Amino acid sequence: MLNAFRLSLQTMKKTLFFACFLGFSTFVQAQHVCGTDDHYAHILKNHPDAKIEELKANLEAKQYRERLADEPQKRASYTVPVVFHVIHTGGPENISRDQILDQIRVLNEDFSYTNANKSKLRSDFTNIVGSADIKFELASRDPQGNCFDGVNRIYSPLHIDMDMNEEKVKDLIYWDYRKYLNVWVVTNITSGSASGTVLGYAVFPWTSSFNKDGVVMRHDRVGTIGTAVASDQGRTLTHEIGHWLGLFHTFQGGCTGGDQCDDTPPVASTFTNANCPSNGNSCSTDSPDLPDMWENYMDYSRGSCMCAF
C-alpha cells in the first residue's frame, strides 16, 4: 500500500534523501512560504497523538540507518500513482493537462537526479547526492478500476480561498491515500497562522490517520508552463512531496535542530538562503562545518538554485 511505502521511505530518509529543494523563486521580502509546518501544528493541536507517531517514525529512521551501516541492502525502486484534483470555476485555475504533465516531468527529473541544473551543485555536496529511485506517473485507473487520465476536474468556488485549516476542498473529492498521491490544485491558500503567501502544503506520512492525506498546490506553482510562474521551475511540488515522504525543512529548529538527515548542514532560519549566498554558512554547529546547502529542495531558496535531494 502507498502509505506503507511512504513510511518505509521515511525510515530511509537519513541515508537516501541527500539534499532537498523548494520552488520558492522570490526574495525574502515577498515571503512565499510552504504551509506544511503550520498545517502540522494545526493537526497537533487537535490530535496530540500525532507527535507520538512522528517520534516513532524518526526512531525507525535512526534504527534503519544503523542497520544499513552494518548490513548494506539493495535499494528498491518505487512508482507513485498521482491523481490531480483541479478545483475550478472555469478560469485560469482550470490548468491544462499539458501543464500537469510538465509537472510530472519535473518531479521525475528531480527525484532521479537527472535535472538539467544539477551541475550547479557545489563540490562540498557532490558525494552525498543521487537518485531517490522514485518515479511519478498520472494514475491510469480510478478507484473502481476504470481507465482514467489522472486528472479530476471539480467545479467549485472553494478554490478561490482554500482554507488549509478547514480544508473543505478535500471534502469535495478524496481518493484512497493508500493507493494514490492526492494533489489538489486551487487558486489561493489561506491560513490564520502562516505568514506570507502559501504556495502549497503537504501531510506528513505519520499523520495520515488524522487528516485527509495529500498535497495542496496553487495552480500557478504547478509545472513550468501555462499559468505557472516559470522562475519557480516546478520545484514547489518537489518540495511538498519531500514533506509527504517525511522530510523536514533544512532550517527545522535552526542551528541546534536540523532536518534529521545527518548529511544536511543546519540552517539558521527560514529565509537565510533566499538569495542563494555563494559562501553562506549560517551555522557552525555541524562537524565538519559546511556551508548552507541552499541547493537542497527542502530549503527556502530560489527554484533555479535547487538541484538535489
Side-chain angles (χ1 to χ4, degrees), residues 2 5-13 17 80 111 132 134 136 202-206 238-248 309:
L2 192 55
F5 144 74
R6 290 166 62 203
L7 287 170
S8 67
L9 279 181
Q10 204 274 339
T11 66
M12 294 186 277
K13 71 179 184 180
F17 282 114
V80 178
F111 278 83
I134 301 173
F136 299 88
V203 172
F204 286 116
W206 54 84
T238 300
H239 174 94
E240 298 305 340
I241 289 179
H243 287 314
W244 182 78
L245 291 170
L247 292 173
F248 294 119
F309 264 117

Side-chain angles (χ1 to χ4, degrees), residues 229-260:
V229 176
S231 59
D232 185 67
Q233 297 193 12
R235 266 52 191 268
T236 297
L237 189 53
T238 300
H239 174 94
E240 298 305 340
I241 289 179
H243 287 314
W244 182 78
L245 291 170
L247 292 173
F248 294 119
H249 291 122
T250 57
F251 48 80
Q252 206 86 16
C255 293
T256 59
D259 65 354
Q260 301 194 34

Side-chain angles (χ1 to χ4, degrees), residues 109-272:
E109 290 176 357
D110 288 348
F111 278 83
S112 65
Y113 195 52
T114 57
N115 46 303
N117 71 334
K118 68 178 184 179
S119 60
K120 294 187 176 182
L121 186 71
R122 289 167 294 170
S123 59
D124 292 289
F125 308 111
T126 53
N127 66 326
I128 60 169
V129 300
S131 173
D133 295 328
I134 301 173
K135 179 182 178 181
F136 299 88
E137 60 181 27
L138 289 179
S140 59
R141 298 278 178 179
D142 69 11
Q144 289 72 46
N146 301 312
C147 292
F148 178 64
D149 69 357
V151 183
N152 285 314
R153 299 184 184 276
I154 310 296
Y155 192 92
S156 170
L158 289 176
H159 72 87
I160 298 172
D161 280 306
M162 188 274 181
D163 189 315
M164 72 178 191
N165 289 333
E166 293 187 2
E167 298 193 296
K168 292 181 180 179
V169 161
K170 291 185 177 181
D171 293 331
L172 295 173
I173 186 166
Y174 176 59
W175 287 12
D176 189 344
Y177 73 93
R178 296 167 298 179
K179 298 179 180 179
Y180 303 93
L181 164 53
N182 291 276
V183 178
W184 290 269
V185 179
V186 299
T187 295
N188 190 43
I189 302 170
T190 63
S191 168
S193 53
S195 58
T197 300
V198 178
L199 304 185
Y201 71 94
V203 172
F204 286 116
W206 54 84
T207 63
S208 297
S209 60
F210 304 106
N211 187 261
K212 286 186 171 67
D213 185 87
V215 177
V216 180
M217 292 281 297
R218 285 175 57 111
H219 74 86
D220 58 358
R221 299 291 162 162
V222 176
T224 65
I225 63 174
T227 67
V229 176
S231 59
D232 185 67
Q233 297 193 12
R235 266 52 191 268
T236 297
L237 189 53
T238 300
H239 174 94
E240 298 305 340
I241 289 179
H243 287 314
W244 182 78
L245 291 170
L247 292 173
F248 294 119
H249 291 122
T250 57
F251 48 80
Q252 206 86 16
C255 293
T256 59
D259 65 354
Q260 301 194 34
C261 298
D262 290 349
D263 52 15
T264 308
V267 176
S269 61
T270 308
F271 293 102
T272 297

Side-chain angles (χ1 to χ4, degrees), residues 37-111:
D37 285 344
D38 288 291
H39 183 253
Y40 185 35
H42 178 75
I43 292 176
L44 287 173
K45 181 179 179 180
N46 293 286
H47 305 282
D49 287 351
K51 189 65 179 180
I52 297 174
E53 297 305 315
E54 176 193 337
L55 296 174
K56 286 180 181 177
N58 285 311
L59 177 59
E60 289 174 3
K62 180 177 182 294
Q63 292 171 338
Y64 178 87
R65 181 191 59 178
E66 293 169 349
R67 289 198 305 270
L68 192 60
D70 297 331
E71 189 178 333
Q73 301 174 13
K74 184 179 179 179
R75 285 168 51 180
S77 297
Y78 300 91
T79 299
V80 178
V82 186
V83 54
F84 279 79
H85 308 301
V86 180
I87 316 301
H88 71 97
T89 47
E93 72 283 352
N94 189 16
I95 59 176
S96 69
R97 179 177 174 80
D98 284 343
Q99 186 172 339
I100 291 170
L101 287 172
D102 184 63
Q103 178 67 79
I104 293 292
R105 172 192 62 80
V106 172
L107 291 176
N108 284 326
E109 290 176 357
D110 288 348
F111 278 83

